[in-house]
């Protein structure tokens, strides 16, 4: 047996405390390393009856071969005579198995070299699996991290505990400065398995981060009383949120805003003062579109097409509400379209009147043109009839 003392067990316990890697992983790694070293030593890598046994009480470890007790030994690597077996255990009988210590002399150095390699590899594998399992379970949720730095690709590196996560440029809030050391909330977008530690992709621009924040701040959403039906977001600028109450006595919009706006203010602060419009969801497309275009006032909504592949609506607003309905650079109507799934064409009242006047003019012109064509056709018919009659009279004469 090889004397290893108590230092190994103390190191294993420390590893378990610091990295969460079980002490059993280290012990089994050491035993496997010793077996691998022994097989290399005897130049028989296919030996199957070899194992390492660790005595924690004595602080010793050794290599043992399991042998079958027989009357006549044919293979000394796998068999042992009854007489030799009796020296190990008086009660042993034929066809029993006994464990024979085969730890070579001066095996400590060879064992240490093998152990270092195997243990290092096993610890890395255990750490990798632990991180992968942990963050796979957190995929699609909010976690807190600390900004570390920006890499050469302008990705933000965020420490999230046992590993560093990557926040790509497209998942960052436009114009936001990520100062190293700042604590931020991020959404776990994806976990990619690699040969080293798993790569965790996080986001601050994803629309689902808004859902997670509302679930944290609004108990009615967490309890299922209020339901978030749809989210449309342009990170750093504006978000529209459609909500629905499953309880008639609970106001879905009011629940999200909170007493004196306390809940919505907390979320807006978390999103760096991003504007949030909370609108009431409706199964009636007209009402839903009106709500989605808030805060603009709407005169009318005409449904042009309501099909699975094509949903179009024509909206008329007061002249002074057109810019508000469309929004800066078309943001309000664009978010309303993404929120509702309807293509929305917005016109002011005067524009709509002009379009209608033009349509009426075109209709009148079309009617006049058709009338002229009809009169011309009648005249042509009369002329043809008269000509045929004259031809007939001349023929008779």
């Amino acid at each position: 047996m090889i004397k290893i003392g108590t230092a190994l067990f103390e190191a294993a316990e420390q590893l378990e405390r610091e990295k969460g890697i079980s002490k059993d992983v280290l012990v089994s790694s050491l035993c496997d390393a010793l077996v691998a070293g022994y097989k290399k030593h005897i130049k028989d890598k296919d030996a199957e009856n070899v194992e390492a046994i660790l005595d924690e009480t004595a602080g010793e470890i050794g290599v043992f071969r399991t042998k079958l007790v027989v009357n006549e030994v044919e293979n000394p690597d796998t068999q042992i005579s009854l007489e030799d077996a009796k020296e190990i255990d008086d009660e042993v009988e034929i066809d029993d198995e006994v464990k024979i210590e085969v730890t070579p002399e001066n095996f400590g150095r060879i064992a240490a070299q093998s152990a270092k390699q195997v243990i290092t590899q096993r610890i890395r594998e255990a750490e990798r699996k632990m991180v992968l399992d942990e963050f796979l379970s957190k995929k699609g949720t909010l976690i807190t991290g600390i900004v570390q730095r920006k890499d050469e690709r302008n990705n933000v590196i965020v420490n999230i505990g046992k590993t560093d996560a990557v926040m790509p440029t497209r998942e960052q809030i436009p114009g936001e400065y990520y100062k190293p050391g700042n604590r931020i909330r991020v959404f776990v977008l994806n976990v990619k398995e690699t040969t080293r530690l798993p790569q965790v992709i996080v986001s601050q621009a994803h629309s689902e981060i808004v859902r997670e924040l509302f679930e944290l701040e609004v108990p009615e959403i967490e309890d299922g009383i209020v339901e978030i039906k749809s989210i449309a977001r342009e990170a750093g600028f504006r978000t529209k949120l459609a909500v629905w109450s499953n309880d008639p006595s609970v106001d879905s919009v009011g629940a999200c805003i909170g007493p004196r706006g306390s809940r919505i203010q907390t979320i807006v602060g978390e999103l760096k003062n991003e504007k949030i419009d909370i609108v009431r969801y409706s199964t009636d497309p007209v009402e839903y579109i009106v709500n989605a275009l808030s805060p603009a006032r709407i005169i009318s909504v005409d449904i042009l097409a309501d099909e699975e592949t094509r949903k179009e609506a024509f909206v008329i607003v007061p002249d002074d509400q057109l810019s508000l309905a469309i929004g800066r650079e078309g943001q309000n109507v664009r978010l309303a379209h993404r929120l509702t799934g309807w293509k929305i064409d917005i016109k002011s009242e005067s524009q709509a009147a002009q379009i209608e006047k033009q349509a009426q003019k075109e209709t009148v012109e079309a009617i006049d043109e058709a009338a002229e064509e009809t009169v011309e056709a009648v005249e042509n018919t009369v002329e043809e009839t008269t000509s045929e009659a004259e031809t007939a009279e001349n023929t008779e004469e």
Side-chain angles (χ1 to χ4, degrees):
M1 298 284 281
I2 302 171
K3 191 75 175 178
I4 59 174
T6 59
L8 175 71
F9 305 110
E10 291 171 359
E13 290 169 359
Q14 184 179 355
L15 189 68
E16 189 168 12
R17 287 194 302 271
E18 292 179 356
K19 294 194 173 185
I21 298 174
S22 172
K23 174 184 171 183
D24 295 336
V25 171
L26 186 61
V27 171
S28 64
S29 299
L30 179 60
C31 291
D32 290 345
L34 241 63
V35 170
Y38 174 77
K39 289 181 179 180
K40 187 176 181 181
H41 178 73
I42 64 171
K43 299 179 181 179
D44 184 6
K45 64 178 181 179
D46 297 324
E48 296 181 353
N49 58 332
V50 181
E51 64 178 315
I53 298 176
L54 176 66
D55 185 345
E56 289 192 36
T57 306
E60 294 179 339
I61 190 169
V63 183
F64 292 79
R65 293 194 78 155
T66 302
K67 295 186 178 183
L68 182 66
V69 180
V70 295
N71 284 319
E72 187 176 345
V73 177
E74 295 179 358
N75 184 350
D77 290 335
T78 59
Q79 297 173 338
I80 186 174
S81 66
L82 181 60
E83 182 181 351
D84 291 340
K86 289 285 186 181
E87 293 179 4
I88 300 169
D89 185 355
D90 291 338
E91 298 180 359
V92 76
E93 296 179 358
I94 296 295
D95 292 335
D96 284 349
E97 289 185 341
V98 293
K99 295 184 186 298
I100 314 295
E101 185 182 356
V102 290
T103 310
E105 293 183 8
N106 302 320
F107 191 59
R109 183 179 60 82
I110 298 172
Q113 289 176 345
S114 298
K116 182 180 178 182
Q117 274 186 325
V118 174
I119 289 172
T120 301
Q121 183 181 355
R122 289 292 178 83
I123 288 174
R124 284 177 182 168
E125 288 176 357
E127 189 175 10
R128 176 175 160 275
K129 185 178 184 303
M130 185 175 56
V131 171
L132 182 65
D133 291 344
E134 178 181 348
F135 288 102
L136 276 175
S137 66
K138 291 181 179 179
K139 185 178 176 180
T141 63
L142 273 179
I143 60 173
T144 301
I146 299 174
V147 177
Q148 298 296 300
R149 67 186 190 282
K150 275 197 173 184
D151 64 14
E152 64 279 359
R153 296 183 179 179
N154 219 30
N155 298 324
V156 176
I157 308 302
V158 184
N159 181 266
I160 50 176
K162 292 174 182 173
T163 188
D164 286 341
V166 178
M167 181 159 57
T169 306
R170 66 181 180 278
E171 300 299 338
Q172 299 168 26
I173 296 176
E176 178 69 10
Y177 172 61
Y178 292 95
K179 183 180 177 181
N182 279 6
R183 190 175 292 273
I184 60 172
R185 273 183 175 175
V186 291
F187 181 78
V188 181
L189 196 61
N190 199 5
V191 182
K192 295 181 179 179
E193 191 171 355
T194 66
T195 53
R196 302 180 67 185
L197 284 178
Q199 186 182 49
V200 183
I201 310 296
V202 296
S203 170
Q204 276 207 317
H206 201 277
S207 60
E208 285 301 305
I209 199 170
V210 179
R211 184 189 301 274
E212 290 286 324
L213 287 171
F214 271 92
E215 287 179 356
L216 288 172
E217 294 295 333
V218 183
E220 290 85 352
I221 294 178
E222 182 68 25
D223 295 339
I225 298 172
V226 174
E227 187 178 347
I228 298 174
K229 288 289 189 178
S230 181
I231 302 173
R233 184 187 186 201
E234 292 189 0
F237 301 101
R238 192 171 188 175
T239 291
K240 283 185 180 286
L241 190 82
V243 293
W244 170 267
S245 177
N246 293 312
D247 185 343
S249 64
V250 177
D251 177 24
S252 57
V253 175
C256 292
I257 294 173
R260 298 182 180 179
S262 58
R263 293 173 179 173
I264 191 67
Q265 286 172 10
T266 301
I267 296 170
V268 168
E270 187 70 41
L271 296 175
K272 312 298 181 185
N273 295 320
E274 185 175 307
K275 184 174 176 59
I276 300 178
D277 297 335
I278 302 175
V279 303
R280 212 170 254 104
Y281 173 80
S282 175
T283 53
D284 177 9
V286 172
E287 184 180 356
Y288 192 18
I289 290 169
V290 169
N291 294 343
L293 288 170
S294 65
R297 287 185 289 107
I298 309 299
I299 292 177
S300 66
V301 177
D302 291 328
I303 302 300
L304 303 180
D306 187 1
E307 304 166 359
E308 285 187 11
T309 56
R310 183 167 164 258
K311 292 180 179 291
E312 296 180 10
F314 182 72
V315 176
I316 300 175
V317 299
D319 289 0
D320 63 345
Q321 295 285 300
L322 181 61
S323 60
L324 184 63
I326 294 174
R328 186 176 181 180
E329 298 179 354
Q331 187 184 74
N332 193 57
V333 68
R334 187 166 58 247
L335 287 174
H337 159 63
R338 285 162 53 188
L339 187 75
T340 61
W342 283 77
K343 182 180 178 182
I344 303 170
D345 183 15
I346 299 180
K347 300 294 180 185
S348 67
E349 197 170 8
S350 57
Q351 287 174 334
Q354 188 176 354
I355 291 171
E356 186 176 359
K357 184 178 179 181
Q358 181 65 27
Q360 288 175 348
K361 181 182 176 182
E362 289 175 356
T363 301
V364 170
E365 289 176 352
I367 291 172
D368 289 345
E369 186 177 345
E372 289 177 4
E373 289 177 354
T374 301
V375 169
E376 186 178 346
V378 169
E379 289 176 350
N380 290 337
T381 302
V382 170
E383 289 178 359
E384 289 175 359
T385 303
T386 304
S387 176
E388 288 175 358
E390 291 177 354
T391 301
E393 287 178 2
N394 292 332
T395 302
E396 287 176 1
E397 290 176 356

